[in-house]
């Protein structure tokens, strides 16, 4: 299972593609894709250069009905830096 | 203090302010074209990189050049303004004497660059395949062991290399460092070109070292010329970069740095080509560079130093153990004995190495004006230096630093750790480095052992690119990904000085939650093994790494 991860063009913050075609700063609200569907979603996001940059697929698993990254790098992107709370985790 | 304002008689086309204004206007238009869709990201990326703008994990990052690590108070205040107005209220001193802002919006960066330009600063050539910010000994112009101040030469190199038309699309980035002292604090042998100021028969010149570098293929630089007359410097540098520009590999970025070119062709073949190119270039340098250098030397004139008594310093040392501990670790000998070079630790235990808040920047600017002749340096070890402080002023300075959270007495000790941004910020990182440094610093503070352990250089990198100089740490830590988790390799015996050595890898890596304990075992082994008066690096040299390896892994096995 994959989510489409990217950074917003102007702000540069981490966002994920949603089921309705938007981008959300909370991975819990991201759409989950598999196989060819994921590749198609990535291509679509990568083409939206006026909104995002650095689109890429990130593996997830479902926990409690929401996607959770399976790789620590993407997990950091969902929270912010771990040295002290001043990214997304700071609200 | 170097006055960055252009000379009154500067020709209009050489006016730095006009140059920066034009360059910033150009980038502002490029950002606008990216935002209105006229430029794709592929088209825009090389343009933003040429202006120091990266895309990191959580945001954009703007890297600002601090020429040879030297700032004046107004420049420091400009950095504070930028951090406060357009970022999250702090900046991060880097291992190349620069500053990085971790949270700018792309649309704000042109305004940030304009604010920098007001203070004579910029972000040009802080990224991309160009000649990067030239770095220098952070004690330049003040150190007791110095032969000559390297900053005028560093400024000459900066002016020569900035926007040099031949060197904007090099095979890879190119880094130059210079020292004016025999005791190398500028890591010159790990740079593409390292320059050591020397004299021969009373004449000034340079030892030129080429092909050093860290990263995935660490190499110690080799001597290309043991004595280069001072007047030949720019044509010789131009010859080196020109030869590499043609020979350097563009088919594989991992083999593009000049260290690989030197390795593949051999130092003798490179020398032959450089000397031939130098012979062709030398007549083209008609002496204007030397006139510029002479003018620069006048602008770097040493401050007038007071000869008043140092009684308040001696009295504070006798009365205040906190001051005494700080003055034992954070002061270095100044060429004028009644003065000291102050290293302000940006490594409070548990804090992010190299982070500095806007408020702290303003305090540093004020203190530099009040006590330090307006001179501020940033070290590659991510600390701030006030190079000319009279010893009588040290108690007051120390009190002001403590009040601002900058009074930590740990320079050169185990918690004075170099750490790259790692996976907390950097898109290239394979593991975190900052929390590892925080964990080690917190542990040694909790155990109160770092003053007993004594001088120790710990350097942490979050990937093989080695921005944290881990190869050169007495204890080096490299964070990697193995099977989907962070793993840390430990090396021992590295040395960043003129006796440069690469650390030896100890063995299998440690998990994130094991690495602090592993470092503690090395320290405890040292305390058991050291001879009378022997520092950690000397014990490793005397005994080799075997007893430390045993301490690292046997105790780990016992615990399993």
């Amino acid at each position: 299972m994959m989510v489409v991860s990217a950074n917003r063009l102007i702000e540069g913050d981490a966002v994920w593609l949603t089921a309705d075609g938007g981008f959300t700063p909370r991975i819990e609200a991201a759409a989950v894709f598999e196989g060819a569907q994921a590749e198609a979603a990535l291509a679509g996001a990568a083409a939206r250069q006026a909104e995002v940059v650095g689109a890429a697929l990130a593996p997830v698993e479902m926990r409690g009905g929401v996607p959770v990254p399976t790789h620590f790098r993407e997990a950091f992107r969902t929270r912010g830096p771990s040295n002290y709370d001043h990214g997304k985790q700071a609200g | 203090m170097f006055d960055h304002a252009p000379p009154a008689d500067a020709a209009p086309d050489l006016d730095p302010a006009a140059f920066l204004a034009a360059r910033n206007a150009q980038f502002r238009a490029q950002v606008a074209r990216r935002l209105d869709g006229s430029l794709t990201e592929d088209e825009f990326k090389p343009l933003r990189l040429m202006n120091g703008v990266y895309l990191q994990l959580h945001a954009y990052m703007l890297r600002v050049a601090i020429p040879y690590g030297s700032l004046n108070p107004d420049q420091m205040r400009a950095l504070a303004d930028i951090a406060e107005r357009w970022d999250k209220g702090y900046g991060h001193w880097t291992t190349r004497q620069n500053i990085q802002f971790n949270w700018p919006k792309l649309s704000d960066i042109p305004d940030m660059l304009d604010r920098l330009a007001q203070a004579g600063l910029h972000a040009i050539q802080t990224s991309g395949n160009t000649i990067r910010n030239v770095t220098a000994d952070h004690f330049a112009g003040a150190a007791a062991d110095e032969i000559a101040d390297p900053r005028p030469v560093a400024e000459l190199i900066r002016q020569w290399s900035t926007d040099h038309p031949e060197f904007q699309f090099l095979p890879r980035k190119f880094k130059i460092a210079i020292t004016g002292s025999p005791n190398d604090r500028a890591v010159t042998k790990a740079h593409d070109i390292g320059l050591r100021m020397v004299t021969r028969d009373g004449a000034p010149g340079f030892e030129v070292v080429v092909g050093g570098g860290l990263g995935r293929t660490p190499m110690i630089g080799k001597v290309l010329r043991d004595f280069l007359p001072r007047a030949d410097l720019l044509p010789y540098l131009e010859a080196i970069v020109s030869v590499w520009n043609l020979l350097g590999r563009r088919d594989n970025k991992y083999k593009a740095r000049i260290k690989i070119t030197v390795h593949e062709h051999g130092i003798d073949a490179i020398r032959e080509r450089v000397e031939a190119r130098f012979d062709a270039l030398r007549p083209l340098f008609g002496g204007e560079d030397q006139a510029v250098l002479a003018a620069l030397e006048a602008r770097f004139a040493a401050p007038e130093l007071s000869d008043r008594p140092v009684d308040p310093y001696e009295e504070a040392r006798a009365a205040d153990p906190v001051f005494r501990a700080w003055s034992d670790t954070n002061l270095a000998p100044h060429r004028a004995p009644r003065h000291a070079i102050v290293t302000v630790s940006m490594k409070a235990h548990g804090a992010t190495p190299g982070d500095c808040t806007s408020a702290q920047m303003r305090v540093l600017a004020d203190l530099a004006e009040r006590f330090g002749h307006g001179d501020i340096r940033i070290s590659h070890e991510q600390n701030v230096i006030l190079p000319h402080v009279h010893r009588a002023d040290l108690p007051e300075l120390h009190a002001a630093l403590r009040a601002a959270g900058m009074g930590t007495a740990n320079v050169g000790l185990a918690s004075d750790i170099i750490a790259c941004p790692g996976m907390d910020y950097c898109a290239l990182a394979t593991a975190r480095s900052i929390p590892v440094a925080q964990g080690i610093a917190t542990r040694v503070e909790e155990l109160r052992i770092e003053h007993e352990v004594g001088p120790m250089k710990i350097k942490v990198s979050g990937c093989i690119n080695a921005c944290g100089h881990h190869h050169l740490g007495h204890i080096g830590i490299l964070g990697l990904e193995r099977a989907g988790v962070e793993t840390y390799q430990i090396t021992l015996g590295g040395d960043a000085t003129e006796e440069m050595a690469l650390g030896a890898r100890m063995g299998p890596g440690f998990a994130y939650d094991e690495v602090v304990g592993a470092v503690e075992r090395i320290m405890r082994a040292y305390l058991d093994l050291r001879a009378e008066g022997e520092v950690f690096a000397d014990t490793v040299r005397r005994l080799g790494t075997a007893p430390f390896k045993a301490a690292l892994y046997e105790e780990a096995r016992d615990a399993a």
Side-chain angles (χ1 to χ4, degrees), chain B residues 54-81:
Chain B
Y54 288 73
L55 180 64
Q56 304 264 58
L57 283 185
H58 309 290
Y60 289 99
M61 179 270 281
L62 176 65
R63 180 183 296 154
V64 177
I66 297 175
Y68 32 91
S70 193
L71 287 173
N72 64 39
D74 286 344
Q75 291 172 324
M76 183 66 101
R77 292 188 184 101
L79 298 176
D81 287 350

Side-chain angles (χ1 to χ4, degrees), chain B residues 414 417-420 430-441 456-464 466-480 486-494 503-506 509-512 514-520 522-523 552:
Chain B
I417 299 171
I418 287 184
C420 74
T430 46
R432 287 173 290 172
S433 52
I434 290 170
V436 171
Q438 290 173 297
I440 295 168
M456 174 177 277
K457 303 281 189 185
I458 301 177
K459 301 177 193 287
V460 190
S461 299
C463 82
I464 202 163
C467 294
H469 298 190
H470 64 275
H471 301 102
L472 305 180
H474 298 156
I475 300 175
I477 301 171
L478 167 62
L480 296 168
E486 294 166 290
T487 303
Y488 294 85
Q489 288 179 357
I490 291 181
T491 53
L492 275 195
R505 191 178 150 193
M506 289 297 90
F510 293 87
Y512 176 75
E514 297 171 338
V515 68
V516 173
V519 171
E520 183 188 336
I522 294 171
M523 287 182 201
L552 264 177

Side-chain angles (χ1 to χ4, degrees), chain A residues 17-51:
Chain A
L17 183 66
T18 61
D20 64 2
F23 287 97
T24 175
R26 297 175 54 80
I27 196 171
E28 297 85 351
V32 176
F33 303 94
E34 293 196 71
Q37 200 185 27
E39 294 296 335
L42 173 62
R48 292 166 62 179
Q49 295 211 356
E51 298 168 75

